[in-house]
Amino acid sequence: MIVITLSKVPPSLRGDLTKWYQEVQTGVYVGNVNAKVRDQVWERIIRDIGSGQAVMVYNAQNELGYQFRTTRTDHEIVDFDGIPLLKRLNQVKSPSSKKLGFSDAAKFHRIKMYSKRSKKSKAYQVKMPLFVAVDVETTGLDLTKDDLISIGAIKKRRRWGIKETFSIDPDRPGYFA
């Protein structure tokens, strides 16, 4: 079985590959051809790829059971005791490349805006209403057969803790925890 993945390639190359392979997803081709056809297809990919990228994975008699080829220039395929690995190559940065980003003034402005925003959100939290969680426990879900076990509630003020709690045990009338 052979799998080919393509990205940013001309549509004509995609059309050529559909002669021998089935496109199972955009840019992913799967097929089963002999080694001669596989190598000729790879040569055609290299010739017509333009600025795109391609990877071909195919069956091989090695430790992994497969081999691969790639057109990526930032990686190199190396053989490590019969296991093919991709080695990432160091890219040399040109001295004319300028570091892009925000100026210090823009960074200070953002910090100032975020601190104002966080102060507003804290003020909003103070105005939030109280929150009450109620817990009702029964012996089942049938209203006619099942009994009430207990009722509990927690009243919270904002997010800083519990203000009041209570629970009722119906087996003990007048019992409040």
Side-chain angles (χ1 to χ4, degrees):
M1 175 183 278
I2 301 170
V3 178
I4 300 173
T5 61
L6 302 175
S7 62
K8 302 177 187 168
V9 298
S12 60
L13 180 57
R14 293 179 186 268
D16 279 347
L17 284 179
T18 58
K19 295 176 187 174
W20 298 281
Y21 301 98
Q22 181 180 9
E23 188 173 16
V24 294
Q25 188 175 349
T26 305
V28 179
Y29 298 85
V30 178
N32 195 9
V33 296
N34 61 31
K36 184 177 180 179
V37 173
R38 178 194 70 212
D39 293 338
Q40 288 176 349
V41 167
W42 185 250
E43 288 174 12
R44 185 176 288 196
I45 290 172
I46 297 295
R47 185 187 71 209
D48 298 337
I49 197 158
S51 62
Q53 296 180 346
V55 175
M56 176 188 279
V57 182
Y58 55 93
N59 293 335
Q61 297 295 327
N62 62 8
E63 293 290 326
L64 295 175
Y66 63 88
Q67 182 66 285
F68 54 91
R69 299 176 184 178
T70 183
T71 61
R72 295 185 62 166
T73 57
D74 60 339
H75 287 74
E76 176 185 9
I77 299 175
V78 293
D79 188 334
F80 185 75
D81 290 336
I83 300 173
L85 300 172
L86 273 178
K87 177 182 176 184
R88 184 171 297 185
L89 301 175
N90 292 333
Q91 302 237 340
V92 179
K93 295 182 180 178
S94 64
S96 65
S97 64
K98 189 175 184 180
K99 183 180 176 184
L100 301 176
F102 295 103
S103 67
D104 288 339
K107 290 176 186 175
F108 287 123
H109 178 71
R110 281 187 168 192
I111 292 169
K112 186 177 177 181
M113 296 306 291
Y114 284 135
S115 65
K116 284 183 180 179
R117 190 179 302 166
S118 65
K119 287 178 184 177
K120 287 180 183 178
S121 65
K122 287 179 184 176
Y124 177 72
Q125 289 175 359
V126 173
K127 296 177 185 177
M128 288 177 56
L130 300 177
F131 180 80
V132 177
V134 178
D135 180 32
V136 178
E137 296 182 17
T138 63
T139 57
L141 297 175
D142 190 356
L143 294 174
T144 58
K145 296 180 185 176
D146 297 320
D147 295 326
L148 182 66
I149 296 174
S150 67
I151 300 173
I154 298 174
K155 185 177 182 182
K156 290 188 175 184
R157 180 178 28 182
R158 294 172 214 95
R159 49 160 63 164
W160 298 110
I162 299 171
K163 186 174 182 180
E164 297 177 28
T165 64
F166 77 91
S167 97
I168 300 172
D169 186 357
D171 292 335
R172 299 161 92 184
Y175 173 78
F176 291 91

Coordinates of all heavy atoms in Angstrom, one line a residue, residues 110-154:
R110 N -0.8 47.6 26.4 CA -1.7 46.4 26.6 C -1.8 46.1 28.1 O -2.8 45.7 28.6 CB -1.1 45.2 25.8 CG -1.4 45.3 24.4 CD -0.9 44.0 23.8 NE -1.5 43.9 22.4 CZ -1.5 42.8 21.7 NH1 -0.9 41.7 22.2 NH2 -2.0 42.8 20.5
I111 N -0.6 46.2 28.8 CA -0.6 45.9 30.2 C -1.6 46.8 30.9 O -2.4 46.4 31.8 CB 0.8 46.0 30.8 CG1 1.6 44.8 30.2 CG2 0.8 45.9 32.3 CD1 3.1 45.0 30.5
K112 N -1.6 48.1 30.6 CA -2.4 49.1 31.2 C -3.9 48.7 30.9 O -4.7 48.8 31.8 CB -2.1 50.4 30.7 CG -2.8 51.6 31.3 CD -2.3 52.9 30.8 CE -3.0 54.1 31.4 NZ -2.6 55.3 30.8
M113 N -4.2 48.4 29.7 CA -5.6 48.1 29.3 C -6.1 46.8 30.0 O -7.2 46.7 30.5 CB -5.7 47.9 27.8 CG -5.4 49.2 27.0 SD -6.4 50.6 27.5 CE -8.0 50.1 27.0
Y114 N -5.2 45.8 30.1 CA -5.6 44.5 30.8 C -5.8 44.8 32.3 O -6.7 44.2 32.9 CB -4.6 43.4 30.6 CG -4.6 42.8 29.3 CD1 -3.5 42.6 28.6 CD2 -5.8 42.4 28.7 CE1 -3.5 42.0 27.3 CE2 -5.9 41.8 27.5 CZ -4.7 41.6 26.8 OH -4.7 41.0 25.5
S115 N -5.0 45.7 32.9 CA -5.2 45.9 34.4 C -6.5 46.7 34.6 O -7.2 46.4 35.6 CB -4.0 46.7 34.9 OG -3.9 48.0 34.3
K116 N -6.9 47.6 33.7 CA -8.1 48.3 33.8 C -9.3 47.3 33.7 O -10.3 47.4 34.4 CB -8.3 49.4 32.7 CG -7.5 50.6 33.0 CD -7.7 51.7 32.0 CE -6.9 52.9 32.2 NZ -7.1 53.9 31.2
R117 N -9.2 46.4 32.7 CA -10.2 45.4 32.5 C -10.4 44.5 33.7 O -11.5 44.2 34.1 CB -9.9 44.6 31.2 CG -11.0 43.7 30.8 CD -10.7 42.9 29.6 NE -10.3 43.8 28.5 CZ -9.7 43.4 27.4 NH1 -9.3 42.1 27.2 NH2 -9.3 44.2 26.4
S118 N -9.3 44.1 34.3 CA -9.4 43.2 35.5 C -10.0 43.9 36.7 O -10.8 43.4 37.5 CB -8.1 42.6 35.9 OG -7.2 43.6 36.3
K119 N -9.8 45.3 36.8 CA -10.4 46.0 37.9 C -11.9 46.1 37.7 O -12.7 46.0 38.6 CB -9.8 47.4 37.9 CG -8.4 47.5 38.5 CD -7.8 48.9 38.5 CE -6.4 48.9 38.9 NZ -5.8 50.2 38.9
K120 N -12.3 46.3 36.4 CA -13.7 46.3 36.1 C -14.4 45.0 36.4 O -15.5 45.0 36.9 CB -14.0 46.7 34.7 CG -13.7 48.2 34.3 CD -13.9 48.4 32.9 CE -13.6 49.9 32.5 NZ -13.8 50.1 31.1
S121 N -13.7 43.9 36.1 CA -14.3 42.6 36.4 C -14.5 42.3 37.8 O -15.4 41.7 38.3 CB -13.5 41.5 35.7 OG -12.2 41.4 36.2
K122 N -13.5 42.8 38.7 CA -13.6 42.7 40.1 C -14.8 43.5 40.6 O -15.5 43.0 41.5 CB -12.3 43.1 40.8 CG -11.2 42.1 40.6 CD -9.9 42.6 41.2 CE -8.8 41.6 40.9 NZ -7.5 42.1 41.5
A123 N -15.0 44.6 40.1 CA -16.1 45.5 40.5 C -17.4 44.8 40.1 O -18.4 44.8 40.9 CB -16.1 46.9 39.9
Y124 N -17.4 44.1 39.0 CA -18.6 43.4 38.6 C -18.9 42.2 39.5 O -20.1 41.9 39.8 CB -18.4 42.9 37.1 CG -19.6 42.1 36.6 CD1 -20.8 42.7 36.3 CD2 -19.5 40.7 36.5 CE1 -21.9 42.0 35.8 CE2 -20.6 40.0 36.0 CZ -21.7 40.6 35.7 OH -22.8 39.9 35.2
Q125 N -17.9 41.6 40.0 CA -18.1 40.4 40.9 C -18.7 40.8 42.2 O -19.5 40.1 42.7 CB -16.7 39.7 41.1 CG -16.2 39.0 39.9 CD -14.8 38.4 40.2 OE1 -14.3 38.6 41.3 NE2 -14.3 37.7 39.2
V126 N -18.5 42.0 42.7 CA -19.0 42.4 43.9 C -20.5 42.6 43.8 O -21.3 42.4 44.7 CB -18.4 43.8 44.4 CG1 -19.1 44.4 45.6 CG2 -16.9 43.5 44.6
K127 N -21.0 43.0 42.6 CA -22.4 43.3 42.3 C -23.2 42.0 42.0 O -24.4 42.0 41.8 CB -22.6 44.3 41.2 CG -22.0 45.6 41.5 CD -22.1 46.6 40.3 CE -21.4 47.9 40.6 NZ -21.5 48.8 39.5
M128 N -22.5 40.8 41.9 CA -23.2 39.6 41.5 C -24.2 39.2 42.6 O -23.9 39.4 43.8 CB -22.2 38.5 41.3 CG -21.4 38.6 40.1 SD -20.1 37.4 39.9 CE -21.1 35.9 40.0
P129 N -25.3 38.6 42.2 CA -26.3 38.2 43.2 C -25.9 37.0 44.0 O -24.9 36.3 43.6 CB -27.5 37.9 42.3 CG -27.0 37.6 41.0 CD -25.8 38.4 40.9
L130 N -26.5 36.7 45.0 CA -26.2 35.5 45.8 C -26.6 34.2 45.0 O -27.5 34.3 44.2 CB -27.0 35.5 47.1 CG -26.7 36.7 48.0 CD1 -27.5 36.7 49.3 CD2 -25.2 36.7 48.4
F131 N -26.0 33.1 45.4 CA -26.2 31.9 44.7 C -26.7 30.8 45.7 O -26.1 30.7 46.8 CB -24.9 31.4 44.0 CG -25.0 30.2 43.3 CD1 -25.5 30.1 42.0 CD2 -24.6 29.0 43.9 CE1 -25.6 29.0 41.3 CE2 -24.6 27.8 43.2 CZ -25.2 27.8 41.9
V132 N -27.8 30.1 45.4 CA -28.3 29.1 46.3 C -28.3 27.8 45.5 O -28.8 27.7 44.4 CB -29.7 29.4 46.8 CG1 -30.3 28.3 47.6 CG2 -29.7 30.7 47.5
A133 N -27.7 26.7 46.1 CA -27.8 25.4 45.5 C -28.7 24.5 46.4 O -28.5 24.5 47.7 CB -26.4 24.8 45.5
V134 N -29.6 23.8 45.8 CA -30.6 23.0 46.6 C -30.4 21.5 46.2 O -30.2 21.2 45.0 CB -32.0 23.4 46.3 CG1 -33.0 22.5 47.0 CG2 -32.3 24.9 46.6
D135 N -30.3 20.7 47.2 CA -30.1 19.2 47.0 C -31.3 18.5 47.6 O -31.6 18.6 48.8 CB -28.8 18.8 47.7 CG -28.6 17.3 47.5 OD1 -29.0 16.7 46.4 OD2 -28.0 16.7 48.4
V136 N -32.0 17.7 46.8 CA -33.2 16.9 47.3 C -32.8 15.5 47.0 O -32.5 15.1 45.9 CB -34.5 17.3 46.6 CG1 -35.6 16.4 47.0 CG2 -34.8 18.8 46.8
E137 N -32.9 14.6 48.1 CA -32.6 13.2 47.9 C -33.8 12.4 48.2 O -34.5 12.6 49.2 CB -31.4 12.8 48.8 CG -30.1 13.5 48.5 CD -29.0 13.1 49.4 OE1 -29.1 12.0 50.0 OE2 -28.0 13.8 49.4
T138 N -34.1 11.4 47.3 CA -35.2 10.5 47.5 C -34.8 9.1 47.4 O -33.7 8.8 47.0 CB -36.3 10.8 46.4 OG1 -35.8 10.5 45.2 CG2 -36.8 12.2 46.5
T139 N -35.7 8.1 47.7 CA -35.3 6.7 47.6 C -35.5 6.3 46.1 O -35.1 5.1 45.8 CB -36.2 5.9 48.5 OG1 -37.6 6.1 48.1 CG2 -36.0 6.2 49.9
G140 N -36.1 7.1 45.2 CA -36.2 6.7 43.8 C -36.9 7.8 43.1 O -36.9 9.0 43.6
L141 N -37.4 7.6 41.9 CA -37.9 8.6 41.0 C -39.4 8.5 40.9 O -40.1 9.4 40.3 CB -37.3 8.5 39.6 CG -35.8 8.7 39.6 CD1 -35.3 8.5 38.1 CD2 -35.5 10.1 40.0
D142 N -40.1 7.5 41.5 CA -41.5 7.4 41.4 C -42.2 8.2 42.6 O -41.9 7.9 43.7 CB -41.9 5.9 41.5 CG -43.4 5.7 41.2 OD1 -44.1 6.7 41.0 OD2 -43.8 4.5 41.1
L143 N -43.0 9.2 42.2 CA -43.6 10.0 43.2 C -44.6 9.3 44.1 O -44.8 9.6 45.3 CB -44.4 11.2 42.6 CG -43.5 12.2 41.8 CD1 -44.4 13.2 41.1 CD2 -42.6 12.9 42.8
T144 N -45.3 8.2 43.7 CA -46.3 7.5 44.5 C -45.6 6.5 45.4 O -46.2 6.2 46.4 CB -47.3 6.8 43.5 OG1 -46.6 5.9 42.7 CG2 -48.1 7.9 42.8
K145 N -44.5 5.9 45.0 CA -43.9 4.8 45.8 C -42.7 5.2 46.6 O -42.5 4.6 47.7 CB -43.4 3.7 44.8 CG -44.5 3.0 44.1 CD -44.0 1.9 43.2 CE -45.0 1.3 42.3 NZ -44.5 0.3 41.4
D146 N -41.9 6.2 46.2 CA -40.7 6.5 46.8 C -40.9 7.6 47.8 O -41.8 8.4 47.8 CB -39.6 6.9 45.8 CG -39.3 5.8 44.8 OD1 -39.2 4.6 45.3 OD2 -39.2 6.0 43.6
D147 N -39.9 7.7 48.8 CA -40.0 8.6 49.9 C -38.9 9.6 49.8 O -37.8 9.4 49.2 CB -39.9 7.9 51.3 CG -41.0 7.0 51.5 OD1 -42.2 7.3 51.1 OD2 -40.8 5.9 52.1
L148 N -39.1 10.7 50.5 CA -38.1 11.8 50.6 C -37.1 11.4 51.7 O -37.5 11.1 52.8 CB -38.8 13.1 51.0 CG -37.9 14.4 51.1 CD1 -37.3 14.7 49.7 CD2 -38.7 15.5 51.6
I149 N -35.8 11.5 51.4 CA -34.8 11.2 52.4 C -34.3 12.4 53.1 O -34.3 12.5 54.3 CB -33.6 10.5 51.7 CG1 -34.0 9.1 51.1 CG2 -32.4 10.3 52.7 CD1 -32.9 8.4 50.3
S150 N -33.9 13.4 52.3 CA -33.4 14.7 52.9 C -33.5 15.8 51.9 O -33.5 15.6 50.7 CB -32.0 14.6 53.5 OG -31.1 14.4 52.4
I151 N -33.5 17.1 52.5 CA -33.4 18.3 51.7 C -32.3 19.1 52.2 O -32.2 19.3 53.5 CB -34.7 19.1 51.7 CG1 -35.9 18.3 51.2 CG2 -34.6 20.4 50.9 CD1 -37.2 19.0 51.4
G152 N -31.4 19.6 51.4 CA -30.3 20.5 51.8 C -30.1 21.7 50.9 O -30.5 21.6 49.7
A153 N -29.6 22.7 51.4 CA -29.3 23.9 50.6 C -28.1 24.6 51.1 O -27.8 24.6 52.3 CB -30.5 24.9 50.7
I154 N -27.4 25.3 50.2 CA -26.2 26.1 50.6 C -26.4 27.4 49.9 O -26.7 27.5 48.7 CB -24.9 25.4 50.0 CG1 -24.7 24.1 50.7 CG2 -23.7 26.3 50.3 CD1 -23.6 23.3 50.1

